[in-house]
Each structure stands twice: as structure tokens, then as C-alpha cells.
Amino acid sequence: MTKGIVMLGAGGHAKVCIELLQAMGETVAYCIAGADAPSRCLNVPVLAGDEQLARLRDEGYARAFVAIGANKLRGRLGANALQLGYELVNAISPRAVVSPSARLGKGIAIMAGAVVNADAVIGDLTIINTGATVDHDCDIGAAAHIAPQCALAGNVSVGTGSFLGVGSKVIPGIRIGKGSTVGAGGVVIRDIADGTTAVGVPAKPITK
Ligand code: JB3
């Protein structure tokens, strides 16, 4: 009997990812959270402290999923799980539309209503959130977060660890650097450099 998935995180994002995995027919055995851990997350028991990850690995658990919205922390915890010998699974809603030619990394979340179109590339540990659309030939880096209802036209690239806030729109061919943020509702019509926050319609840099 294959042991269930070990999930890192026990907050709102974890609730959504538990339901994604259960809809895929998977079992989430435990959530591992920080010091503020609740006793359960939906119907899953919660353990406190990341040292539990190694203990569970020793007990034979081999598959993990990082369900934490903070990009840097998700990236770090994902690397830690891989180092311990876990395989990172993907959580993809049966109600998402993912092109057969799209190339998906590991530890990815694709929520209900999301669309990932032809030849798009989605990096490890990235979130394509509820109803977001990533069109043909987009290249989304690792540990990025495309928030709900974002719309990326064709050939858009988003760097590692970047965050596109809810409802952001990006015109074709735009390059958004790594570690950058687009504020909610931003309309991106020019490239955004690494480590930059841009807001508004059209989106303009407010910090570098
Ligand atoms: O915007 C949407 C639709 N979802 C957001 C999501 C993408 O990000 C959501 O609204 C939140 O903004 C955020 O969800 P998340 O990450 O679940 O946030 P929160 O509810 O604050 O839960 C954070 C979880 O991470 C808690 O269970 C913490 O205990 C846990 N945590 C924090 N640090 C940690 C650590 N867990 C582990 N294992 N290790 C840590 O170092």
C-alpha cells in the first residue's frame, strides 16, 4: 500500500491543495506546519516542525507537496524535501485545462479553472492559481505564483520567485524578471526588470 503524501503547510493554500490531491484520487497523510500549527487542516492531521519531514521519510513516506503561498519559503522547503529523498508530486485540478504539449516541473499546483496552453513551460514549485490563464509558449520560472484570474498572453516569461497579483494581465512577449511583483489588477505592457514591483494600468515600477 503506497503511503500518502506529506504536505508542508496547513493554511488556506494547503486546504485548496488537499482538495486538489484528493480530487486526483490521492491521500494526504499529514500536513507539517510551523509553530502555529492547528491540529487538523480540513480532514488531515497536522504535525508541528519541519524535523517531522525527516522522521516521516525514515518511516517510508516518499512523496511530498509544498502548499505554502510564500514563494521563497516554498522554494526553500521544496529543496529541503528533495534533499531528504522525497519526490515532489503535482497537484492539478481535474477542472484545469493543461495542454498535452505543456511541460510541467515538479511540485506544481494548478487550480480549478486554470488554463496552461500549448508549449508553455511551468517551473518546479510554481502555482497557477484559480482561473489563471497561461498561454502558448509562456515560460514560468520555479517557485513563482500566478494568482487567481491572471491572464498571460503568448510568449510571456516570468522569472523565478516572481508574483503576479490577482487579476494581473500581461500582453504578448513581455519578460518579467525574477523576484518581481505585479500588483493586483496590473496591466503589464513593458518588460519588468528583476526584483521590481510594478503596479497600475499600465503597470509602472514603484520599487527596484
Ligand atoms: O491567494 C490565494 C488564493 N491564496 C493564498 C496563497 C497562495 O498563499 C492565501 O490566501 C494566502 O495568502 C497564502 O496561503 P498560505 O500559504 O496557506 O498562508 P497561511 O494561511 O498564512 O498559511 C501559511 C502556512 O505555512 C501555515 O500553516 C504555517 O504554519 C505554515 N508555515 C509557515 N512557516 C510553515 C513554515 N510550514 C512549515 N512546514 N515550515 C515553515 O517554516
Side-chain angles (χ1 to χ4, degrees), residues 42-130:
L42 295 184
N43 56 351
V44 177
V46 178
L47 305 172
D50 288 327
E51 64 280 1
Q52 304 285 345
L53 201 58
R55 179 179 67 78
L56 290 172
R57 184 76 190 93
D58 292 342
E59 290 180 13
Y61 290 87
R63 298 184 304 149
F65 186 83
V66 184
I68 289 176
N71 289 344
K72 279 189 180 153
L73 179 56
R74 186 169 71 255
R76 182 163 61 76
L77 291 173
N80 182 31
L82 288 170
Q83 213 161 28
L84 288 170
Y86 282 94
E87 175 205 346
L88 292 180
V89 299
N90 287 341
I92 300 173
S93 169
R95 291 191 297 280
V97 177
V98 180
S99 160
S101 61
R103 281 161 283 156
L104 306 182
K106 290 290 175 209
I108 284 167
I110 301 179
M111 273 67 172
V115 177
V116 176
N117 233 326
D119 261 357
V121 176
I122 310 295
D124 294 349
L125 295 158
T126 278
I127 304 167
I128 309 296
N129 221 317
T130 312

Side-chain angles (χ1 to χ4, degrees), residues 103-171:
R103 281 161 283 156
L104 306 182
K106 290 290 175 209
I108 284 167
I110 301 179
M111 273 67 172
V115 177
V116 176
N117 233 326
D119 261 357
V121 176
I122 310 295
D124 294 349
L125 295 158
T126 278
I127 304 167
I128 309 296
N129 221 317
T130 312
T133 58
V134 175
D135 227 294
H136 65 84
D137 301 298
C138 282
D139 185 348
I140 313 299
H145 177 196
I146 310 299
Q149 301 299 326
C150 285
L152 280 60
N155 290 296
V156 168
S157 69
V158 175
T160 302
S162 285
F163 173 53
L164 273 58
V166 63
S168 302
K169 310 279 186 263
V170 186
I171 67 170

Side-chain angles (χ1 to χ4, degrees), residues 181 192-199 204-208:
T181 296
I192 295 176
D194 294 354
T196 301
T197 296
V199 301
K204 292 193 173 113
I206 54 169
T207 61
K208 165 71 179 141

